[in-house]
PDB file of all heavy atoms in Angstrom:
ATOM      1  N   CYS A  44      98.448 105.387 105.111  1.00 98.00           N
ATOM      2  CA  CYS A  44      99.530 105.085 104.181  1.00 98.00           C
ATOM      3  C   CYS A  44     100.864 105.620 104.732  1.00 98.00           C
ATOM      4  O   CYS A  44     101.883 104.923 104.716  1.00 98.00           O
ATOM      5  CB  CYS A  44      99.202 105.728 102.830  1.00 98.00           C
ATOM      6  SG  CYS A  44     100.286 105.219 101.514  1.00 98.00           S
ATOM      7  N   THR A 158      95.561  90.315 100.849  1.00 98.00           N
ATOM      8  CA  THR A 158      94.896  90.458 102.151  1.00 98.00           C
ATOM      9  C   THR A 158      94.186  91.807 102.219  1.00 98.00           C
ATOM     10  O   THR A 158      94.785  92.838 101.897  1.00 98.00           O
ATOM     11  CB  THR A 158      95.937  90.356 103.282  1.00 98.00           C
ATOM     12  OG1 THR A 158      96.583  89.092 103.177  1.00 98.00           O
ATOM     13  CG2 THR A 158      95.295  90.481 104.656  1.00 98.00           C
ATOM     14  N   ALA A 188      81.333 100.933 115.063  1.00 97.00           N
ATOM     15  CA  ALA A 188      80.745  99.632 115.392  1.00 97.00           C
ATOM     16  C   ALA A 188      79.331  99.803 115.944  1.00 97.00           C
ATOM     17  O   ALA A 188      78.396  99.087 115.580  1.00 97.00           O
ATOM     18  CB  ALA A 188      81.626  98.897 116.401  1.00 97.00           C
ATOM     19  N   ARG A 277      98.535  94.452 119.717  1.00 98.00           N
ATOM     20  CA  ARG A 277      99.217  95.071 120.863  1.00 98.00           C
ATOM     21  C   ARG A 277     100.249  96.099 120.373  1.00 98.00           C
ATOM     22  O   ARG A 277     100.312  97.213 120.863  1.00 98.00           O
ATOM     23  CB  ARG A 277      99.896  93.989 121.720  1.00 98.00           C
ATOM     24  CG  ARG A 277     100.460  94.527 123.026  1.00 98.00           C
ATOM     25  CD  ARG A 277     101.363  93.519 123.723  1.00 98.00           C
ATOM     26  NE  ARG A 277     102.622  93.288 123.031  1.00 98.00           N
ATOM     27  CZ  ARG A 277     103.692  94.095 123.091  1.00 98.00           C
ATOM     28  NH1 ARG A 277     103.655  95.197 123.830  1.00 98.00           N
ATOM     29  NH2 ARG A 277     104.795  93.803 122.425  1.00 98.00           N
TER      30      ARG A 277
END
Side-chain angles (χ1 to χ4, degrees):
C44 190
T158 301
R277 188 192 70 80

